[in-house]
Amino acid sequence: MRVHFVIHESFESAGAYQPWAQARGHQVTWSRVYDSEPVPANADGFDMLVVFGGPQSPHTTLAECPYFDSKAEQRLINQAIDAGRIVVGICLGSQLIGEALGAEVCQSPNKEIGHYPITLTEAGAQHPLLSDFGSPLTVGHWHNDMPGLTAGTVILAKSAGCPRQIVQFSDKVFGFQCHMEFTAEAVEGLIQHSEQELAEAKGKPFIRSVEEMRGHDYREMNQKLWSFLDKLTESR
């Protein structure tokens, strides 16, 4: 299977998605937009599109961030959906999917940074792709916003700090506001580039300390993510 990753910043990474794809022999291509690599012109070259997070918003303009073309990414997402491709968005990526489908990004009730539990909704508990998750499940977080919802969007998981943690836009299109792809290395990259953000967030309800984030074991949630991805790609 051909998988295309869209990465927005040098300190963001594909995390656990990369070893998942490599272990299964999938062909991986990249758009590292921070390095001026454009997103594909269309969906012909991949079977699965994964759009990762970043500090930008779907409303960020080219004037504000010259290498982030929100409209181009939204066009690609729509083309991928129309072509019947699998589309997964994480954090900013999930918000871009919502925007591409006409649902405006929203601010989350709380900023969340670190690892906190999510709880499956009734729909999530019954969903075959999430059958190995268990509930609650502790996952990674690093966000202040959440995806908008179309008329047909189903919320599969929520947290105490955010009511839209995992959403299903359609059979092959999913948004993760949470970061189940976090690894120790991925989190360290974010910590190193977020000193001011972490200082400003200190003391808020859903903010872990740097020491707690560095000491957490992310492998269980990575395994749960891989289970979801295996079932998603097998069902295509």
Side-chain angles (χ1 to χ4, degrees):
M1 190 175 69
R2 303 166 301 166
V3 183
H4 190 80
F5 292 157
V6 178
I7 305 288
H8 295 106
E9 294 290 350
S10 60
F11 54 87
E12 301 272 355
S13 80
Y17 279 83
Q18 188 170 354
W20 167 79
Q22 291 172 336
R24 285 142 183 83
H26 299 324
Q27 176 187 336
V28 179
T29 53
W30 302 76
S31 290
R32 299 177 180 89
V33 300
Y34 62 87
D35 206 20
S36 301
E37 295 178 359
V39 298
N42 55 57
D44 293 346
F46 57 80
D47 306 299
M48 178 178 182
L49 175 66
V50 185
V51 185
F52 289 91
Q56 299 87 353
S57 159
H59 295 166
T60 299
T61 66
L62 285 167
E64 294 168 323
C65 185
Y67 54 82
F68 172 63
D69 191 337
S70 177
K71 297 301 183 185
E73 293 195 27
Q74 291 179 48
R75 284 195 296 271
L76 178 63
I77 288 167
N78 274 324
Q79 289 173 338
I81 292 172
D82 290 344
R85 306 294 192 253
I86 294 170
V87 182
V88 178
I90 301 97
C91 200
L92 171 61
S94 70
Q95 299 158 21
L96 285 164
I97 294 173
E99 289 274 344
L101 296 173
E104 188 171 0
V105 61
C106 305
Q107 185 171 353
S108 174
N110 292 278
K111 188 180 188 76
E112 292 176 296
I113 295 178
H115 47 279
Y116 293 95
I118 58 172
T119 303
L120 297 181
T121 63
E122 183 177 351
Q126 297 175 356
H127 201 291
L129 300 188
L130 276 59
S131 60
D132 292 332
F133 274 33
S135 183
L137 172 66
T138 298
V139 300
H141 304 271
W142 203 299
H143 75 98
N144 196 44
D145 294 325
M146 60 185 182
L149 305 179
T150 66
T153 303
V154 179
I155 298 174
L156 302 178
K158 58 186 179 179
S159 71
C162 176
R164 304 174 190 175
Q165 287 289 356
I166 304 176
V167 299
Q168 180 174 10
F169 292 100
S170 63
D171 287 348
K172 297 182 179 180
V173 184
F174 291 82
F176 286 74
Q177 187 55 58
C178 54
H179 290 272
M180 294 183 68
E181 85 284 1
F182 274 178
T183 62
E185 294 77 14
V187 170
E188 186 61 34
L190 287 165
I191 289 171
Q192 292 296 325
H193 287 82
S194 306
E195 184 177 345
Q196 181 176 349
E197 180 184 10
L198 290 170
E200 292 173 351
K202 189 175 181 180
K204 293 183 178 180
F206 300 100
I207 308 295
R208 293 285 186 189
S209 69
V210 169
E211 292 74 20
E212 287 176 308
M213 288 189 278
R214 284 176 171 154
H216 186 66
D217 188 343
Y218 299 94
R219 290 175 294 180
E220 179 185 3
M221 73 174 184
N222 293 162
Q223 293 288 341
K224 306 287 189 181
L225 173 65
W226 293 342
S227 170
F228 165 82
L229 294 172
D230 285 341
K231 293 175 182 178
L232 176 62
T233 52
E234 288 167 3
S235 66
R236 75 184 181 94

